[in-house]
Amino acid sequence: MPDPDRIEAVRRFNRFYTRRIGVLNEGLLDSPFNLTEGRILFELAHLENGEGLTATDLGRLLDLDGGYLSRLLRDLKERDLVRATRSAVDARQSLLQLSPAGRKAFKPLERRSQEQVGELLDQLGEAQQTELLQAFRRVQGLLEAPDDKPAKQGFILRPHRPGDMGWIVSRHGALYARDYQFDQRFEALVARIAADFIERFDARREACWIAERDGVNIGSVALVQARDEATDAPIDGVAQLRLLLVEPAARGLGLGDRLVAECHRFARDAGYQRVRLWTNSQLDAAKHIYRKAGYRHVGTEPFQGFGLDLVGETWELDLQATA
């Protein structure tokens, strides 16, 4: 049995959140529907196939008792909001759909829900909104049953924008401290890399991509002009891949492969012949991505950094050989 204080903390949050979004009000979003009726209308309004849903599937989706659901559906049918038709595939089954009156009744409910959430988010700044969405995604990921989790979840890649570099620095610092016990000097290194990227940024030769899912950042990568470590002079024809990061909750989606492939596409278009990167010997997941993409391990250098004895590795990709 979990600690009683933890149980009470979850219950306290549940009371706060249900009060905050008004689900305990007599009418959901000032409508004539209660919360469960509103969820039924929502699911029927957003059918993926448009053909209908059986009562059994609807009950499973909403985790409702069959008898309770049957009474709710009977009432909604009597109000001409929901209709049942025989399945063309299996005449033994009835498929539930919203009637024209049901669709009309649902529209203001959907609009009010969107307005309510918009008002909630308007009270927060951009960084706070991102933090809230990340927290929601984390809670959902922790509480979802394994069977409820889709094998693949979509994401988008977009260019960086104000605030993204701070997120990249923060997440690198937190994740590398947790997974590899790097100290804060690693976060300082990432901060310098991010600052150099912003100050030197040349959109013709350099780019950064942020992977986003449901409005939440889940990954990053950057491609920059490679420079000589001693003189800081640009190295002709060579790009450097930097700041590759995939959030733990997004691993297994092929995101790392996609981010690296986007760097290569950009590098070819920009006229680079080679891409170089620096990594650490213990970063096996990242090195697996690099090997698949055609990189070769070209140099090794033991060093002491980030509070540990480490082995740095240099990898290179010949873009012409992999075109």
Side-chain angles (χ1 to χ4, degrees):
M1 186 72 174
D3 187 297
D5 289 340
R6 295 183 177 182
I7 293 173
E8 181 53 35
V10 173
R11 296 179 65 203
R12 185 166 57 248
F13 176 80
N14 288 342
R15 293 193 297 271
F16 160 77
Y17 192 64
T18 51
R19 184 176 66 251
R20 189 69 179 83
I21 62 176
V23 300
L24 300 180
N25 296 343
E26 185 173 345
L28 179 65
L29 297 169
D30 299 320
S31 76
F33 307 109
N34 62 35
L35 175 61
T36 309
E37 290 171 334
R39 281 297 314 275
I40 291 172
L41 297 180
F42 177 89
E43 296 300 340
L44 295 180
H46 293 84
L47 291 171
E48 293 185 4
N49 57 17
E51 296 177 356
L53 198 63
T54 67
T56 300
D57 288 339
L58 181 61
R60 186 181 301 115
L61 184 64
L62 299 179
D63 195 21
L64 292 177
D65 172 76
Y68 177 52
L69 176 61
S70 179
R71 292 192 294 274
L72 289 173
L73 289 173
R74 183 169 60 249
D75 181 62
L76 292 172
K77 290 175 185 176
E78 289 174 354
R79 293 154 68 183
D80 193 30
L81 299 174
V82 173
R83 291 179 178 175
T85 58
R86 290 294 176 189
S87 169
V89 178
D90 186 348
R92 296 170 299 178
Q93 291 188 331
S94 293
L95 297 179
L96 301 169
Q97 295 177 313
L98 290 185
S99 67
R103 287 192 292 272
K104 182 178 180 180
F106 177 72
K107 283 183 179 179
L109 193 63
E110 177 90 326
R111 185 181 67 252
R112 290 188 196 113
S113 178
Q114 292 174 340
E115 291 172 351
Q116 182 196 56
V117 174
E119 291 169 1
L120 184 71
L121 293 175
D122 276 344
Q123 300 173 29
L124 305 174
E126 180 68 25
Q128 291 174 309
Q129 290 184 25
T130 298
E131 185 177 354
L132 179 66
L133 293 172
Q134 289 174 334
F136 282 165
R137 169 63 65 180
R138 179 62 174 156
V139 170
Q140 182 178 346
L142 288 171
L143 296 182
E144 271 182 330
D147 291 344
D148 294 335
K149 296 180 180 181
K152 296 290 183 181
Q153 296 178 349
F155 55 82
I156 63 169
L157 299 188
R158 62 168 176 80
H160 70 286
R161 61 190 180 207
D164 285 331
M165 288 299 149
W167 175 82
I168 289 173
V169 173
S170 172
R171 294 309 291 155
H172 271 82
L175 290 176
Y176 277 73
R178 187 195 74 177
D179 295 343
Y180 303 105
Q181 292 73 56
F182 286 10
D183 66 20
Q184 290 184 330
R185 282 170 286 188
F186 178 72
E187 189 170 352
L189 171 65
V190 178
R192 285 192 292 272
I193 293 171
D196 287 343
F197 176 84
I198 294 297
E199 291 174 356
R200 295 170 168 171
F201 181 58
D202 178 354
R204 298 168 302 174
R205 307 281 292 165
E206 300 177 320
C208 176
W209 294 267
I210 300 296
E212 189 177 281
R213 181 177 62 188
D214 296 339
V216 176
N217 294 351
I218 59 172
S220 68
V221 76
L223 188 86
V224 301
Q225 169 70 62
R227 293 176 178 272
D228 184 275
E229 291 186 7
T231 66
D232 205 36
I235 303 174
D236 188 45
V238 182
Q240 185 166 2
L241 188 151
R242 311 203 82 162
L243 304 176
L244 177 64
L245 177 77
V246 176
E247 284 282 355
R251 290 168 189 171
L253 304 179
L255 177 55
D257 295 334
R258 174 70 188 282
L259 288 167
V260 169
E262 197 68 17
C263 285
H264 300 164
R265 179 198 60 77
F266 181 92
R268 290 189 179 94
D269 291 345
Y272 289 109
Q273 285 83 52
R274 287 183 294 149
V275 180
R276 174 181 300 173
L277 64 88
W278 181 85
T279 188
N280 282 289
S281 60
Q282 71 228 67
L283 305 187
D284 293 330
K287 293 196 296 183
H288 179 66
I289 293 172
Y290 304 144
R291 286 193 190 94
K292 283 199 298 181
Y295 282 82
R296 293 185 305 107
H297 179 199
V298 298
T300 298
E301 181 183 8
F303 74 102
Q304 189 173 47
F306 322 132
L308 300 168
D309 291 325
L310 300 169
V311 177
E313 296 182 356
T314 301
W315 294 62
E316 285 192 355
L317 173 72
D318 184 339
L319 290 171
Q320 295 174 328
T322 58

